[in-house]
Amino acid sequence: MNSVSDPGVIRHDISGDVPMSGECWLYATCQGEFRIEPMRLAGTACFAVLWEDELLGCYETPAVAASNLSRNLVHKPRCGLDLRRLGLPPTLTDWAYVPAGSGSYRTDAQGKDGARPGA
């Protein structure tokens, strides 16, 4: 799957790509909100890492996406934001899980580890 080290990864405006479902994982920082969500990019299903709607990378699972983001193994935001200074968590347990069709954050552990509720 695509990663920062993959020379085939191209940064682009995601406005033409459509999320696969309404679920996502959110992490708010003093520099803005990070989001991991399932997306289909160029016909390939992946979990996109976004910062303020800027695509930073695509990965096989939401857990891999969070881990790579925390280790700064994603594209650097165009504004030059240093992701290493934000202390982003390496696991989804510290992210807010928002299930499809919900307008609110999940506060319990179910779904936060990347597993879909009921799985």
Side-chain angles (χ1 to χ4, degrees):
M1 182 58 70
N2 297 338
S3 68
V4 168
S5 62
D6 182 349
V9 174
I10 300 171
R11 293 171 72 140
H12 68 282
D13 179 5
I14 63 166
S15 60
D17 294 307
V18 179
M20 291 171 36
S21 72
E23 74 177 336
C24 68
W25 291 262
L26 303 172
Y27 191 81
T29 72
C30 61
Q31 295 294 320
E33 186 173 75
F34 288 85
R35 191 169 72 246
I36 297 173
E37 66 183 41
M39 189 172 282
R40 186 168 300 282
L41 297 172
T44 302
C46 68
F47 286 88
V49 175
L50 302 132
W51 174 71
E52 300 296 320
D53 290 328
E54 182 178 347
L55 180 65
L56 302 181
C58 293
Y59 303 93
E60 297 88 1
T61 68
V64 170
S67 175
N68 283 355
L69 178 60
S70 74
R71 295 183 297 143
N72 202 29
L73 298 175
V74 297
H75 290 290
K76 188 172 189 172
R78 288 183 206 130
C79 69
L81 176 65
D82 185 355
L83 300 175
R84 294 171 297 179
R85 303 184 87 199
L86 297 177
L88 297 164
T91 63
L92 291 171
T93 56
D94 293 319
W95 291 64
Y97 175 70
V98 182
S102 172
S104 63
Y105 298 116
R106 286 190 76 97
T107 56
D108 62 355
Q110 184 180 13
K112 285 181 160 186
D113 62 357
R116 287 184 171 70

